[in-house]
Amino acid sequence: HAGAAVKSNLAHVVTIERHIMDQERMHPEATGALSNLLYDVGLAAKIINSHVRMAGLADILGSTNVVNVQGEVVQKLDEFAEATMQHALLHTGRVCVLASEEDEQPILIPVGYPSGKYTILYDPRDGSSNIDVNVSIGTIFSIHSRVTPGDGPGSLVDCLQPGRTQVAAGYVLYGSSTMMVYTTGHGVHGFTFDPTIGEFLLSHPDITTPAVGKYYSVNESYFPRWDPKVQALIKRYKGLDDNGGEAKNCRYIGSLVADFHRNLIAGGVFCYPADKKAPTGKLRLLYECAPLAFICEQAGGYASDGTQAILDIVPTELHQRSPLYIGSRDDVRMAERMLSGS
Ligand code: P6P
């Protein structure tokens, strides 16, 4: 009977590798390349996680005194996460080009290494200002099929694709536990890292997000900089206008992946509006807004720049920014109505 008990327990253990294989079986034409690419991201996540967990002990806290392409001081953990992603992705032949928040230009496949049929764009470690104060941070990734012909190295063209064409997207949240959440277009699935066996185990199958959320997330200190329509929207979320809408609770961690994940699970709307100082917002379209928008829509939510779906925006620059309203579908649709004045 002990054997039966063990067998029954094991039946519930679905590793992310097993799940990726199950997802692959939904695509008869699959060659396994996307599955292998997702394994590679999972491996990078485990390695980054091991360093995030001991960042307070190892000499990787603090800054490198280097300023990156975004004009932000590079944290030591930024450098480590970037190096880990490149090491896991560059030489495997799954991708034809990479793009990272940390690098101004696309990262080309080294000479002598094979190119694959995918492109991956990522923010290796989002929320750097939170590292030294032990607040959750995240990794975000977006995967497209290459659009340039042939099987040689890819280029910027392979990176500048609208979010609607993503084949997969996901994030890793280094929080009270480490989770990896991803979609390949067949729902959203969450995995919790079990450090005792070094595996991500399925803990949140088929995540869906409520149509109306109980939270709103925004940096209220920017209120004076916002367009009056944005100010009116946030007042609506707070239940302060005469529309009688139920007041939402404010939750804002200042770490995109943590704020997004809480709202995905519990229901809520995250807003990073454009303002006088940031006329196109702060967050990056290709490797922050678009992957989270793909995940959000797959979970029944919606993501907008205030006038159109994030997934429909055709990018023109690798690091272009976008205003972002993302989360519970009805809350985001209301933002579009109020911001477009309809
Ligand atoms: P603000 C962190 O630096 C980040 O890029 C996101 O993770 C987060 O949502 C946002 O910036 C916070 O920005 O202007 O509110 O500090």
Side-chain angles (χ1 to χ4, degrees), residues 190-266:
F191 299 78
T192 299
F193 187 65
D194 178 343
T196 64
I197 59 174
E199 288 290 355
F200 281 106
L201 303 183
L202 183 64
S203 54
H204 297 68
D206 296 308
I207 297 173
T208 57
T209 196
V212 177
K214 60 181 175 183
Y215 296 124
Y216 78 97
S217 308
V218 73
N219 187 330
E220 302 257 14
S221 66
Y222 300 151
F223 189 88
R225 301 183 200 163
W226 291 334
D227 179 283
K229 288 178 182 169
V230 175
Q231 294 175 338
L233 171 68
I234 302 302
K235 282 182 178 171
R236 172 75 66 90
Y237 288 149
K238 293 153 82 98
L240 292 181
D241 66 1
D242 54 7
N243 196 277
E246 188 177 340
K248 298 184 185 299
N249 220 336
C250 181
R251 287 282 186 281
Y252 191 75
I253 298 174
S255 189
L256 174 59
V257 174
D259 278 317
F260 174 80
H261 181 75
R262 178 205 52 247
N263 290 352
L264 183 75
I265 301 297

Coordinates of all heavy atoms in Angstrom, one line a residue, residues 190-266:
G190 N 0.7 28.4 -13.6 CA 1.7 28.8 -12.7 C 2.4 27.7 -12.0 O 1.7 26.7 -11.6
F191 N 3.7 27.8 -11.8 CA 4.5 26.8 -11.2 C 5.3 27.4 -10.0 O 5.8 28.5 -10.1 CB 5.5 26.2 -12.2 CG 4.8 25.6 -13.4 CD1 4.3 26.4 -14.4 CD2 4.6 24.2 -13.5 CE1 3.6 25.9 -15.5 CE2 3.9 23.7 -14.5 CZ 3.4 24.5 -15.5
T192 N 5.3 26.6 -8.9 CA 6.0 27.1 -7.7 C 7.3 26.3 -7.5 O 7.3 25.0 -7.7 CB 5.1 26.9 -6.5 OG1 3.9 27.8 -6.6 CG2 5.9 27.4 -5.2
F193 N 8.4 27.0 -7.3 CA 9.7 26.3 -7.2 C 9.8 25.5 -5.9 O 9.6 26.1 -4.8 CB 10.8 27.3 -7.3 CG 12.2 26.7 -7.4 CD1 12.5 26.0 -8.5 CD2 13.1 26.9 -6.4 CE1 13.8 25.4 -8.6 CE2 14.4 26.4 -6.4 CZ 14.7 25.6 -7.5
D194 N 10.1 24.2 -6.0 CA 10.4 23.4 -4.8 C 11.9 23.3 -4.6 O 12.5 22.5 -5.3 CB 9.7 22.1 -4.9 CG 9.9 21.2 -3.7 OD1 10.9 21.5 -2.9 OD2 9.2 20.2 -3.5
P195 N 12.5 24.0 -3.7 CA 13.9 24.0 -3.6 C 14.5 22.6 -3.1 O 15.6 22.3 -3.4 CB 14.3 25.1 -2.5 CG 13.0 25.3 -1.8 CD 11.9 25.0 -2.7
T196 N 13.6 21.8 -2.5 CA 14.1 20.5 -2.0 C 14.4 19.6 -3.2 O 15.2 18.7 -3.1 CB 13.1 19.8 -1.1 OG1 11.9 19.5 -1.9 CG2 12.7 20.7 0.1
I197 N 13.8 19.8 -4.4 CA 14.1 19.0 -5.5 C 14.5 19.8 -6.7 O 14.8 19.2 -7.8 CB 12.8 18.1 -5.9 CG1 11.6 19.0 -6.3 CG2 12.5 17.1 -4.8 CD1 10.5 18.2 -6.8
G198 N 14.5 21.1 -6.6 CA 15.0 22.0 -7.6 C 14.2 22.0 -8.9 O 14.6 22.0 -10.0
E199 N 12.9 21.8 -8.6 CA 11.9 21.8 -9.8 C 10.8 22.8 -9.6 O 10.4 23.1 -8.5 CB 11.3 20.4 -9.9 CG 12.2 19.3 -10.4 CD 12.6 19.5 -11.9 OE1 12.1 20.5 -12.6 OE2 13.5 18.8 -12.4
F200 N 10.3 23.3 -10.7 CA 9.0 24.1 -10.7 C 7.9 23.2 -10.8 O 7.8 22.4 -11.8 CB 9.0 25.1 -11.9 CG 9.8 26.3 -11.7 CD1 11.0 26.5 -12.4 CD2 9.4 27.4 -10.9 CE1 11.8 27.6 -12.2 CE2 10.2 28.5 -10.7 CZ 11.4 28.7 -11.4
L201 N 7.0 23.1 -9.8 CA 5.9 22.2 -9.8 C 4.6 23.0 -10.1 O 4.4 24.1 -9.5 CB 5.8 21.5 -8.5 CG 7.1 20.7 -8.1 CD1 6.8 19.9 -6.8 CD2 7.5 19.7 -9.2
L202 N 3.7 22.3 -10.9 CA 2.4 23.0 -11.2 C 1.6 23.2 -9.9 O 1.3 22.3 -9.2 CB 1.6 22.1 -12.1 CG 0.3 22.6 -12.7 CD1 0.5 23.9 -13.5 CD2 -0.5 21.5 -13.5
S203 N 1.3 24.5 -9.7 CA 0.6 24.9 -8.5 C -0.7 25.7 -8.8 O -1.6 25.8 -8.0 CB 1.5 25.7 -7.5 OG 2.0 26.8 -8.2
H204 N -0.7 26.3 -10.0 CA -1.8 27.2 -10.4 C -2.2 26.9 -11.8 O -1.9 27.6 -12.7 CB -1.5 28.7 -10.3 CG -1.1 29.1 -8.9 ND1 0.0 28.7 -8.2 CD2 -1.8 30.0 -8.1 CE1 0.0 29.3 -7.0 NE2 -1.1 30.1 -6.9
P205 N -2.8 25.7 -12.1 CA -3.3 25.4 -13.5 C -4.4 26.3 -13.9 O -5.2 26.7 -13.1 CB -3.8 23.9 -13.3 CG -4.1 23.8 -11.9 CD -3.2 24.7 -11.1
D206 N -4.3 26.7 -15.2 CA -5.4 27.4 -15.8 C -5.8 28.7 -15.0 O -7.0 28.8 -14.6 CB -6.6 26.5 -16.0 CG -6.3 25.4 -17.0 OD1 -5.8 25.7 -18.1 OD2 -6.5 24.2 -16.6
I207 N -4.9 29.6 -14.8 CA -5.2 30.8 -14.0 C -6.2 31.7 -14.8 O -6.0 31.9 -16.0 CB -3.9 31.6 -13.8 CG1 -2.9 30.8 -12.9 CG2 -4.3 32.9 -13.1 CD1 -1.6 31.5 -12.7
T208 N -7.3 32.1 -14.2 CA -8.2 33.1 -14.8 C -8.3 34.3 -13.9 O -8.1 34.1 -12.6 CB -9.6 32.5 -15.1 OG1 -10.1 32.0 -13.8 CG2 -9.5 31.4 -16.1
T209 N -8.5 35.5 -14.4 CA -8.6 36.7 -13.6 C -10.0 37.2 -13.6 O -10.7 37.2 -14.6 CB -7.5 37.7 -14.1 OG1 -7.3 38.7 -13.1 CG2 -8.0 38.4 -15.4
P210 N -10.5 37.7 -12.5 CA -11.9 38.2 -12.4 C -12.1 39.4 -13.3 O -11.2 40.2 -13.6 CB -12.1 38.6 -10.9 CG -11.0 37.9 -10.2 CD -9.9 37.7 -11.1
A211 N -13.3 39.5 -13.9 CA -13.6 40.6 -14.8 C -13.6 42.0 -14.1 O -13.2 43.0 -14.7 CB -15.0 40.4 -15.4
V212 N -13.9 42.0 -12.8 CA -13.8 43.3 -12.0 C -12.9 43.0 -10.8 O -13.1 42.0 -10.2 CB -15.2 43.7 -11.5 CG1 -15.0 45.0 -10.7 CG2 -16.1 44.0 -12.7
G213 N -11.9 43.8 -10.6 CA -10.9 43.5 -9.6 C -11.2 44.3 -8.3 O -11.9 45.3 -8.3
K214 N -10.6 43.8 -7.2 CA -10.8 44.6 -5.9 C -9.6 45.5 -5.7 O -9.6 46.4 -4.8 CB -10.9 43.6 -4.8 CG -9.8 42.7 -4.5 CD -10.1 41.7 -3.3 CE -9.1 40.7 -3.1 NZ -9.4 39.8 -2.0
Y215 N -8.6 45.4 -6.5 CA -7.4 46.3 -6.3 C -7.2 47.2 -7.5 O -7.5 46.9 -8.6 CB -6.1 45.5 -6.2 CG -6.1 44.5 -5.0 CD1 -5.9 43.2 -5.1 CD2 -6.3 45.1 -3.7 CE1 -5.9 42.3 -4.0 CE2 -6.2 44.2 -2.6 CZ -6.0 42.9 -2.7 OH -6.0 42.0 -1.6
Y216 N -6.7 48.4 -7.2 CA -6.1 49.2 -8.2 C -4.6 49.5 -7.8 O -4.4 49.7 -6.6 CB -6.9 50.5 -8.5 CG -6.7 51.6 -7.5 CD1 -5.7 52.7 -7.7 CD2 -7.4 51.6 -6.3 CE1 -5.5 53.7 -6.8 CE2 -7.1 52.6 -5.3 CZ -6.2 53.7 -5.6 OH -6.0 54.7 -4.7
S217 N -3.7 49.6 -8.8 CA -2.3 49.8 -8.5 C -1.8 50.9 -9.4 O -1.9 50.9 -10.6 CB -1.5 48.5 -8.9 OG -2.1 47.4 -8.3
V218 N -1.3 52.0 -8.7 CA -0.8 53.1 -9.4 C 0.1 53.9 -8.5 O -0.1 53.9 -7.3 CB -1.9 54.0 -10.0 CG1 -2.6 54.8 -8.9 CG2 -1.3 55.0 -11.1
N219 N 1.1 54.6 -9.0 CA 2.0 55.4 -8.2 C 1.3 56.8 -8.0 O 1.4 57.7 -8.9 CB 3.3 55.6 -8.8 CG 4.3 56.4 -7.9 OD1 3.8 57.2 -7.0 ND2 5.6 56.1 -8.0
E220 N 0.5 56.9 -6.9 CA -0.3 58.1 -6.7 C 0.5 59.4 -6.6 O -0.1 60.5 -6.8 CB -1.1 57.9 -5.4 CG -2.0 56.7 -5.3 CD -3.4 57.0 -5.5 OE1 -3.7 58.1 -6.0 OE2 -4.3 56.2 -5.2
S221 N 1.8 59.3 -6.4 CA 2.6 60.6 -6.2 C 2.7 61.3 -7.5 O 3.0 62.5 -7.6 CB 4.0 60.2 -5.7 OG 4.7 59.5 -6.7
Y222 N 2.3 60.6 -8.7 CA 2.4 61.3 -9.9 C 1.0 62.0 -10.3 O 0.9 62.6 -11.4 CB 2.7 60.3 -11.1 CG 4.0 59.6 -10.9 CD1 4.2 58.3 -11.4 CD2 5.1 60.2 -10.2 CE1 5.4 57.7 -11.2 CE2 6.3 59.6 -10.0 CZ 6.4 58.3 -10.5 OH 7.6 57.6 -10.4
F223 N 0.1 62.0 -9.3 CA -1.3 62.6 -9.6 C -1.2 64.0 -10.3 O -1.8 64.2 -11.3 CB -2.1 62.6 -8.3 CG -3.5 63.0 -8.5 CD1 -4.5 62.0 -8.8 CD2 -3.9 64.3 -8.5 CE1 -5.8 62.3 -9.0 CE2 -5.3 64.7 -8.7 CZ -6.2 63.7 -8.9
P224 N -0.3 64.9 -9.8 CA -0.3 66.2 -10.3 C 0.2 66.3 -11.8 O -0.2 67.2 -12.5 CB 0.7 67.0 -9.4 CG 0.8 66.2 -8.2 CD 0.6 64.7 -8.6
R225 N 0.9 65.2 -12.2 CA 1.4 65.2 -13.6 C 0.4 64.6 -14.6 O 0.7 64.7 -15.8 CB 2.7 64.3 -13.7 CG 3.8 64.7 -12.8 CD 5.0 63.7 -13.1 NE 5.9 63.6 -12.1 CZ 6.8 62.6 -12.0 NH1 6.8 61.6 -12.9 NH2 7.7 62.5 -11.0
W226 N -0.6 64.0 -14.1 CA -1.5 63.3 -15.0 C -2.5 64.2 -15.8 O -2.9 65.2 -15.2 CB -2.3 62.2 -14.2 CG -1.6 61.1 -13.7 CD1 -0.4 60.6 -14.2 CD2 -1.9 60.3 -12.6 NE1 0.0 59.5 -13.4 CE2 -0.9 59.3 -12.4 CE3 -3.0 60.3 -11.7 CZ2 -1.0 58.4 -11.4 CZ3 -3.0 59.4 -10.6 CH2 -2.0 58.4 -10.5
D227 N -2.8 63.7 -16.9 CA -3.9 64.3 -17.7 C -5.2 64.3 -16.8 O -5.4 63.3 -16.1 CB -4.1 63.5 -19.0 CG -5.3 64.1 -19.8 OD1 -6.5 63.8 -19.4 OD2 -5.0 64.8 -20.8
P228 N -6.1 65.3 -16.9 CA -7.3 65.3 -16.1 C -8.1 64.0 -16.3 O -8.8 63.5 -15.3 CB -8.1 66.5 -16.6 CG -7.0 67.4 -17.1 CD -5.9 66.6 -17.6
K229 N -8.1 63.4 -17.5 CA -8.9 62.2 -17.7 C -8.3 61.0 -16.9 O -9.0 60.2 -16.4 CB -8.9 61.8 -19.2 CG -9.7 62.7 -20.0 CD -9.6 62.3 -21.5 CE -10.5 63.3 -22.4 NZ -10.2 63.0 -23.8
V230 N -7.0 61.0 -16.7 CA -6.3 60.0 -15.9 C -6.7 60.2 -14.4 O -7.1 59.3 -13.7 CB -4.8 60.0 -16.1 CG1 -4.1 59.0 -15.1 CG2 -4.5 59.6 -17.5
Q231 N -6.6 61.5 -14.0 CA -7.0 61.8 -12.6 C -8.5 61.4 -12.4 O -8.7 60.8 -11.3 CB -6.9 63.3 -12.4 CG -5.4 63.8 -12.5 CD -5.3 65.3 -12.3 OE1 -6.3 66.0 -12.6 NE2 -4.1 65.8 -11.9
A232 N -9.3 61.6 -13.3 CA -10.8 61.2 -13.1 C -10.9 59.7 -13.0 O -11.7 59.1 -12.2 CB -11.6 61.7 -14.3
L233 N -10.1 59.0 -13.9 CA -10.1 57.5 -13.8 C -9.7 57.0 -12.5 O -10.4 56.1 -11.9 CB -9.2 56.9 -14.9 CG -9.0 55.4 -14.9 CD1 -10.2 54.7 -15.2 CD2 -7.8 55.0 -15.8
I234 N -8.6 57.5 -11.9 CA -8.1 57.0 -10.6 C -9.1 57.3 -9.5 O -9.4 56.5 -8.6 CB -6.7 57.5 -10.3 CG1 -5.7 57.2 -11.4 CG2 -6.2 57.0 -9.0 CD1 -5.6 55.7 -11.7
K235 N -9.8 58.5 -9.7 CA -10.8 58.8 -8.7 C -12.0 57.8 -8.8 O -12.5 57.4 -7.8 CB -11.3 60.2 -8.9 CG -10.4 61.3 -8.4 CD -11.1 62.7 -8.7 CE -10.2 63.8 -8.1 NZ -10.7 65.2 -8.6
R236 N -12.3 57.4 -10.0 CA -13.3 56.4 -10.2 C -13.0 55.1 -9.5 O -13.8 54.5 -8.8 CB -13.6 56.2 -11.7 CG -14.5 55.0 -12.1 CD -16.0 55.4 -11.8 NE -16.4 56.5 -12.7 CZ -16.9 56.3 -13.9 NH1 -17.1 55.1 -14.4 NH2 -17.3 57.3 -14.7
Y237 N -11.7 54.7 -9.7 CA -11.3 53.4 -9.0 C -11.4 53.5 -7.5 O -11.6 52.6 -6.8 CB -9.8 53.1 -9.4 CG -9.6 52.6 -10.9 CD1 -8.4 52.9 -11.5 CD2 -10.6 51.9 -11.5 CE1 -8.2 52.4 -12.8 CE2 -10.4 51.4 -12.8 CZ -9.2 51.7 -13.5 OH -9.0 51.3 -14.8
K238 N -11.2 54.8 -7.0 CA -11.2 55.0 -5.6 C -12.6 55.2 -5.0 O -12.8 55.3 -3.8 CB -10.3 56.2 -5.2 CG -8.8 56.1 -5.5 CD -8.2 57.4 -5.7 CE -7.8 58.2 -4.5 NZ -6.4 58.0 -4.1
G239 N -13.6 55.2 -6.0 CA -15.0 55.3 -5.6 C -15.3 56.8 -5.2 O -16.2 57.0 -4.4
L240 N -14.5 57.7 -5.7 CA -14.6 59.1 -5.2 C -15.5 60.0 -6.2 O -15.7 61.1 -6.0 CB -13.3 59.8 -5.1 CG -12.4 59.3 -4.0 CD1 -11.0 60.0 -4.0 CD2 -13.1 59.4 -2.6
D241 N -15.9 59.3 -7.3 CA -16.7 60.2 -8.2 C -18.2 59.9 -8.0 O -18.5 59.0 -7.3 CB -16.3 60.0 -9.7 CG -16.6 58.6 -10.2 OD1 -17.2 57.8 -9.4 OD2 -16.2 58.2 -11.3
D242 N -19.0 60.6 -8.7 CA -20.5 60.4 -8.4 C -21.1 59.3 -9.2 O -22.3 59.1 -9.4 CB -21.2 61.7 -8.8 CG -20.9 62.1 -10.3 OD1 -20.2 61.3 -11.0 OD2 -21.2 63.2 -10.7
N243 N -20.1 58.4 -9.7 CA -20.7 57.2 -10.5 C -21.1 56.1 -9.6 O -21.6 55.1 -10.1 CB -19.6 56.8 -11.5 CG -20.2 55.9 -12.6 OD1 -20.3 54.7 -12.4 ND2 -20.5 56.5 -13.7
G244 N -20.7 56.2 -8.3 CA -21.2 55.2 -7.4 C -20.5 53.9 -7.5 O -20.9 52.9 -6.9
G245 N -19.4 53.9 -8.3 CA -18.7 52.6 -8.4 C -18.1 52.2 -7.1 O -17.8 53.0 -6.2
E246 N -18.0 50.8 -6.8 CA -17.4 50.4 -5.6 C -15.9 50.8 -5.5 O -15.2 50.6 -6.5 CB -17.6 48.9 -5.5 CG -17.2 48.3 -4.1 CD -17.4 46.8 -4.0 OE1 -18.2 46.3 -4.9 OE2 -16.8 46.1 -3.2
A247 N -15.5 51.3 -4.3 CA -14.1 51.7 -4.2 C -13.2 50.5 -4.2 O -13.5 49.4 -3.6 CB -14.0 52.4 -2.8
K248 N -12.1 50.6 -4.9 CA -11.1 49.5 -4.9 C -10.1 49.8 -3.9 O -9.9 50.9 -3.4 CB -10.5 49.4 -6.3 CG -11.4 49.1 -7.4 CD -10.6 48.9 -8.7 CE -11.6 48.7 -9.9 NZ -12.4 47.5 -9.8
N249 N -9.4 48.8 -3.5 CA -8.3 48.9 -2.5 C -7.0 49.1 -3.2 O -6.8 48.6 -4.3 CB -8.2 47.5 -1.8 CG -7.9 47.7 -0.3 OD1 -7.4 48.7 0.1 ND2 -8.3 46.7 0.5
C250 N -6.2 50.0 -2.7 CA -4.9 50.3 -3.4 C -3.8 49.4 -2.9 O -3.6 49.1 -1.7 CB -4.5 51.8 -3.1 SG -3.0 52.2 -3.9
R251 N -3.2 48.8 -3.9 CA -2.0 48.0 -3.6 C -0.9 48.3 -4.7 O -1.2 48.2 -5.9 CB -2.3 46.5 -3.7 CG -3.1 45.9 -2.6 CD -2.3 45.7 -1.3 NE -3.1 45.0 -0.3 CZ -3.9 45.6 0.5 NH1 -4.2 46.9 0.4 NH2 -4.6 45.0 1.5
Y252 N 0.2 48.8 -4.3 CA 1.3 49.2 -5.2 C 2.6 48.9 -4.6 O 3.0 49.5 -3.6 CB 1.2 50.7 -5.6 CG 2.1 51.1 -6.7 CD1 1.7 50.7 -8.0 CD2 3.3 51.8 -6.5 CE1 2.5 51.1 -9.1 CE2 4.0 52.1 -7.6 CZ 3.7 51.8 -8.9 OH 4.5 52.2 -10.0
I253 N 3.3 47.8 -5.1 CA 4.6 47.4 -4.6 C 5.7 48.2 -5.2 O 6.8 48.3 -4.7 CB 4.7 45.9 -4.8 CG1 3.6 45.1 -4.0 CG2 6.1 45.4 -4.3 CD1 3.6 43.6 -4.3
G254 N 5.5 48.6 -6.5 CA 6.6 49.3 -7.2 C 7.5 48.3 -7.9 O 8.6 48.6 -8.3
S255 N 7.0 47.0 -8.0 CA 7.7 46.0 -8.7 C 6.6 45.4 -9.7 O 5.7 44.7 -9.2 CB 8.2 45.0 -7.8 OG 9.1 44.1 -8.4
L256 N 6.8 45.6 -11.0 CA 5.8 45.3 -11.9 C 5.3 43.9 -11.9 O 4.0 43.6 -11.8 CB 6.3 45.6 -13.4 CG 5.3 45.2 -14.5 CD1 4.0 46.0 -14.4 CD2 6.0 45.5 -15.9
V257 N 6.2 42.9 -11.8 CA 5.8 41.5 -11.8 C 5.0 41.2 -10.6 O 3.9 40.5 -10.6 CB 7.0 40.6 -12.0 CG1 6.6 39.1 -11.9 CG2 7.7 40.8 -13.3
A258 N 5.4 41.7 -9.4 CA 4.7 41.4 -8.2 C 3.3 42.1 -8.2 O 2.3 41.4 -7.9 CB 5.5 42.0 -7.0
D259 N 3.2 43.3 -8.7 CA 1.9 44.0 -8.7 C 1.0 43.3 -9.8 O -0.2 43.0 -9.5 CB 2.1 45.5 -9.2 CG 2.4 46.4 -8.0 OD1 1.8 46.2 -6.9 OD2 3.3 47.2 -8.1
F260 N 1.6 42.9 -10.9 CA 0.8 42.2 -11.9 C 0.3 40.9 -11.4 O -0.9 40.6 -11.6 CB 1.6 42.0 -13.2 CG 0.9 41.2 -14.3 CD1 0.0 41.8 -15.1 CD2 1.1 39.8 -14.4 CE1 -0.7 41.0 -16.0 CE2 0.5 39.1 -15.3 CZ -0.5 39.7 -16.1
H261 N 1.2 40.1 -10.8 CA 0.8 38.8 -10.4 C -0.3 38.8 -9.3 O -1.3 38.0 -9.4 CB 2.0 38.0 -9.8 CG 1.7 36.6 -9.4 ND1 1.6 35.6 -10.3 CD2 1.6 36.1 -8.1 CE1 1.3 34.5 -9.6 NE2 1.3 34.7 -8.3
R262 N -0.2 39.7 -8.4 CA -1.3 39.8 -7.3 C -2.6 40.1 -8.0 O -3.6 39.5 -7.7 CB -0.9 40.9 -6.3 CG -2.0 41.0 -5.2 CD -2.0 42.4 -4.6 NE -2.0 43.4 -5.6 CZ -1.0 44.3 -5.9 NH1 0.1 44.2 -5.2 NH2 -1.1 45.2 -6.8
N263 N -2.6 41.0 -8.9 CA -3.9 41.4 -9.6 C -4.4 40.3 -10.5 O -5.6 40.1 -10.6 CB -3.7 42.7 -10.4 CG -3.4 43.9 -9.5 OD1 -3.6 43.9 -8.3 ND2 -3.1 45.0 -10.1
L264 N -3.5 39.5 -11.1 CA -3.9 38.4 -11.9 C -4.7 37.4 -11.1 O -5.7 36.9 -11.5 CB -2.7 37.8 -12.6 CG -3.0 36.6 -13.6 CD1 -3.5 37.2 -14.9 CD2 -1.7 35.8 -13.8
I265 N -4.1 37.1 -9.9 CA -4.7 36.1 -9.1 C -6.0 36.6 -8.4 O -7.0 35.9 -8.4 CB -3.7 35.6 -8.0 CG1 -2.4 35.0 -8.7 CG2 -4.3 34.5 -7.1 CD1 -2.6 33.8 -9.5
A266 N -5.9 37.8 -7.8 CA -7.0 38.3 -6.9 C -7.9 39.2 -7.7 O -9.0 39.5 -7.2 CB -6.4 39.1 -5.8

